[in-house]
Amino acid sequence: MPLTLEGSCRCGAVCFTCESHTPQPYQLCYCSICRKTDGGGGYAINLGADARTLKVEDPAQAIRGDEGPCEVSTGERSFCSQCATALWLLSPEWPDLVHPFASAIDSDLPVPPSRVHLMLKFKPAWVEPAIGPHDATFDLYPTDSLEDWHKARGLWVD
Ligand SMILES: [Zn+2]
């Protein structure tokens, strides 16, 4: 059974669930979009879940954000229309996946044995990543998919 992720925004207008085979919060993204929309510490953590299982209690409260002119991204980010909490990201390159922000998840998440730091090229100088001895770092995207990373460590949730 995949793990059910239960999430919500700060004000409670948006509650959602989705099923995840890859629930480890190990991917820290330092791109400027993640940082500005959800990553006050310099990065945001994007999870992976099955897009077909995304259930939103009141979908009208979740609005899609404009990516803005600073950088081109095909991803569609959703935010609470009331309190602006960053909720999840859908990317046309990976239509089977939804990427909830770990910060919006209320249910327990596992503690990852190591982390991947990605998009470091876009990290501002003031952000000093805490890179652990088993962590991997990438200027852009990592080489392993969410599925690859979980399966290589026996952490895929069937
Ligand atoms: Zn809200």
Side-chain angles (χ1 to χ4, degrees), residues 4 12 16-18 28 31 36 43 57 59 69 78 80 87 93 95 101 105 108 110 113-115 132 135-136 141 145:
T4 301
F16 66 97
T17 60
C18 50
L28 283 57
C31 88
K36 292 190 180 203
Y43 59 85
E57 215 166 82
S78 288
C80 174
L87 298 165
E93 283 98 342
F101 291 108
I105 300 300
D108 282 343
S114 63
R115 291 174 172 79
D135 289 5
Y141 286 107
S145 69

Side-chain angles (χ1 to χ4, degrees), residues 2-65:
L3 187 68
T4 301
L5 307 180
E6 297 170 17
S8 65
C9 67
R10 185 204 57 76
C11 77
V14 181
C15 294
F16 66 97
T17 60
C18 50
E19 305 292 323
S20 177
H21 298 284
T22 57
Q24 300 274 333
Y26 77 98
Q27 283 214 88
L28 283 57
C29 183
Y30 295 79
C31 88
S32 62
I33 305 174
C34 279
R35 189 175 69 247
K36 292 190 180 203
T37 57
D38 185 43
Y43 59 85
I45 299 180
N46 305 292
L47 300 170
D50 184 339
R52 292 165 306 181
T53 66
L54 179 64
K55 292 192 182 75
V56 186
E57 215 166 82
D58 187 355
Q61 294 293 342
I63 54 167
R64 285 190 195 142

Side-chain angles (χ1 to χ4, degrees), residues 4 28 70 77 86 91 107 141 146:
T4 301
L28 283 57
C70 56
R77 285 159 200 267
S91 188
S107 51
Y141 286 107
L146 288 157

